[in-house]
């Protein structure tokens, strides 16, 4: 499900923006190289400027650092602006696609799904999905390239020291994978609870008169408290899951720095490495910590967004059962005679409303339907334009079964 959801998101919604993403990726690479250059410049600062007192480099290196910072700032702004635009565009397109699709859905869908849950798909789920498109994609490219440049510099300075520095980081893959699976499960529950809370609020705000009339305030307050507490617990679990990755990376980074100082200090003391090279290595290691930590957290963010994507795609996969038959024709200009020929109807939950109804309304006549609530008055009206299809029998207009004509021509003929 996870790979299918991610593949569908990438192929259907991210792929059209690949040219802009490539340009943003180039900007990310430029920013990453500029970051690595700062670490590389630390070696001549210590060896040439401080130890050898090189006056020329004393002026050139600060200029190079400022130039690298300006290049990095411009590239970072460009990639952030482009990726945010791409993310917002994808979200807007998804919302328009979801709205258009749901407008084609059967009334049964809206009968089974409350407005609160549907609105939650448009707001909460879609906004969480934005994190996958922008943060995860940006992090995957920017942080990976930045880390690669800095790690490359570290291997250039001393490959043995680099191996010591990163020997502990593969250990982070196991907890990162477990945290990702937990986040996906918790996030799915949190999104579902958000929809349930929206349903409860919608019911109470729209039915406030009835709540007050029957003295139901304490009962509804109890329901709201239960829903809010459940959402709190799930959101708290999500926050704890996100927070758990930070101390893991801190502990691993401390072990890496300790090992580097122990081995690198020994190399410097016994002449195997210059102080400048060691200082440059330490700088690269410290700069690499942030992108490596972000990459470790990437799976958590990805799983959170994919849980939202699954709910959105579930809604997009709802296909209307009421649609034009093969060979459906246009409804001729209707005279207006409506007939129900032994019509039976039951909702999807099995609730039977009509049984073998026989009804004929001549053209030009007005008919009033009366009866208690739930007797099927609205159902009779909904069957004529095929908002629902009959369970048995048939509904005809001027002798033509409404299922044999196109929906567009049928509904255009009903005033």
């Amino acid at each position: 499900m996870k790979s299918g959801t991610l593949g569908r998101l990438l192929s259907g919604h991210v792929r059209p923006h690949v040219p802009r993403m490539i340009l943003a990726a180039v900007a990310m690479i430029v920013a990453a190289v500029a970051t690595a250059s700062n670490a590389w410049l630390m070696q001549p600062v210590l060896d040439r400027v401080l130890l050898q007192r090189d006056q020329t480099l004393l002026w050139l290196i600060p200029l190079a650092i400022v130039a690298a910072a300006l290049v990095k700032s411009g590239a970072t702004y460009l990639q952030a602006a482009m990726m945010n635009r791409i993310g917002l565009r994808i979200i807007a397109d998804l919302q328009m696609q979801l709205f258009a699709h749901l407008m084609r859905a059967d009334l049964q869908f809206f009968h089974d799904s409350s407005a609160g849950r549907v609105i939650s798909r448009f707001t909460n789920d879609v906004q969480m999905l934005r994190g996958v498109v922008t943060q995860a994609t940006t992090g995957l490219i920017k942080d990976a390239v930045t880390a690669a440049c800095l790690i490359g510099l570290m291997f250039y300075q001393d490959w043995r020291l680099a191996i010591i520095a990163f020997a502990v980081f593969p250990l982070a893959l196991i907890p990162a994978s477990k945290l990702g699976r937990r986040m996906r499960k918790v996030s799915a529950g949190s999104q579902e609870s958000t929809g349930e809370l929206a349903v409860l609020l919608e019911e109470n705000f729209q039915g406030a008169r009835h709540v007050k009339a029957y003295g139901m305030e304490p009962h509804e307050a109890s329901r709201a408290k239960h829903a809010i507490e459940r959402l709190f617990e799930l959101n708290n679990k999500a926050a704890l899951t996100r927070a758990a990755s930070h101390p893991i990376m801190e502990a691993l980074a401390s072990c890496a720095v300790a090992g580097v100082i122990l081995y690198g200090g020994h190399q410097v003391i016994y002449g195997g490495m210059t102080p400048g090279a060691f200082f440059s290595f330490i700088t690269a290691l410290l700069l690499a910590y942030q992108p490596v930590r972000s990459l470790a957290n990437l799976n958590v963010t990805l799983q959170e967004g994919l849980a939202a994507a699954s709910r959105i795609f579930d809604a997009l996969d709802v296909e209307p059962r009421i649609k034009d038959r093969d060979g459906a024709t246009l409804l001729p200009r209707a005279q207006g005679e409506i007939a129900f020929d032994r019509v039976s109807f039951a909702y999807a939950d099995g609730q039977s409303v009509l049984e073998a109804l026989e009804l004929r309304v001549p053209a030009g006549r007005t008919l009033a339907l009366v009866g208690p609530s739930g007797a099927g008055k609205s159902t009779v009206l909904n069957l004529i334009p095929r908002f629902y299809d009959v369970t048995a029998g048939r509904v005809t207009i001027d002798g033509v079964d409404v299922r044999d004509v196109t929906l567009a021509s049928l509904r255009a003929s009903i005033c």
Side-chain angles (χ1 to χ4, degrees), residues 6 64 109 133 206 232 263 281 325 339 353 356 388:
L6 181 59
F109 173 83
V133 177
Q206 290 186 354
F232 164 78
Y263 178 80
F281 185 95
R325 286 179 170 178
V353 181
Y388 297 97

Side-chain angles (χ1 to χ4, degrees), residues 1 27 53 67 74 84 134 140 175 221 264 278-279 315 343 369:
M1 181 67 175
R53 294 179 173 83
N84 278 315
T134 56
L140 181 62
F278 179 65
F279 188 56
V343 167
L369 297 177

Side-chain angles (χ1 to χ4, degrees), residues 241-271:
T241 302
R242 281 191 294 267
S245 61
H246 181 72
I248 293 173
M249 292 302 299
E250 288 283 355
L252 292 175
S254 298
C255 293
V257 172
V260 166
I261 291 175
L262 181 64
Y263 178 80
H266 182 274
Q267 289 290 92
V268 172
I269 291 173
Y270 291 97

Side-chain angles (χ1 to χ4, degrees), residues 5-72:
T5 300
L6 181 59
R8 183 173 176 180
L9 178 63
L10 293 175
S11 63
H13 301 279
V14 176
R15 181 180 293 177
H17 303 279
V18 165
R20 285 180 177 270
M21 295 184 70
I22 291 175
L23 183 57
V26 172
M28 294 177 202
I29 293 172
V30 171
V33 173
T35 301
S37 69
N38 285 326
W40 177 74
L41 287 171
M42 293 302 103
Q43 180 175 357
V45 167
L46 189 58
D47 289 340
R48 300 284 299 276
V49 176
L50 298 182
L51 296 180
Q52 299 180 17
R53 294 179 173 83
D54 189 321
Q55 294 290 329
T56 302
L57 288 182
L58 178 61
W59 290 97
L60 292 179
I61 290 178
L63 291 175
I65 291 175
V66 172
L70 292 175
V71 170
K72 179 182 177 181

Side-chain angles (χ1 to χ4, degrees), residues 101-163:
H101 183 79
L102 292 181
M103 285 298 96
R104 295 192 299 269
D106 298 333
L107 278 187
Q108 185 67 47
F109 173 83
F110 297 99
H111 183 269
D112 297 337
S113 304
S114 68
R117 283 193 175 89
V118 176
I119 293 173
S120 179
R121 304 281 174 95
F122 278 91
T123 54
N124 186 58
D125 292 355
V126 171
Q127 288 305 319
M128 291 186 70
L129 180 57
R130 183 186 172 194
V132 175
V133 177
T134 56
Q135 297 175 18
T137 305
T138 300
L140 181 62
I141 300 174
K142 180 184 177 182
D143 293 330
V145 173
T146 301
C149 291
L150 291 168
I151 293 171
L153 175 62
M154 293 162 65
F155 274 93
Y156 173 77
Q157 297 288 6
D158 191 310
W159 64 271
R160 297 179 184 86
L161 205 56
I163 290 176

Side-chain angles (χ1 to χ4, degrees), residues 265-313:
H266 182 274
Q267 289 290 92
V268 172
I269 291 173
Y270 291 97
M273 192 177 195
T274 68
F278 179 65
F279 188 56
S280 176
F281 185 95
I282 287 291
T283 303
L285 176 60
L286 295 177
L287 289 174
Y289 168 69
Q290 178 58 42
V292 170
R293 188 181 73 175
S294 297
L295 289 173
N297 294 338
L298 182 63
N299 188 45
V300 175
T301 302
L302 183 64
Q303 295 304 324
E304 192 173 25
L306 288 179
S310 295
R311 284 165 51 87
I312 294 171
F313 289 145

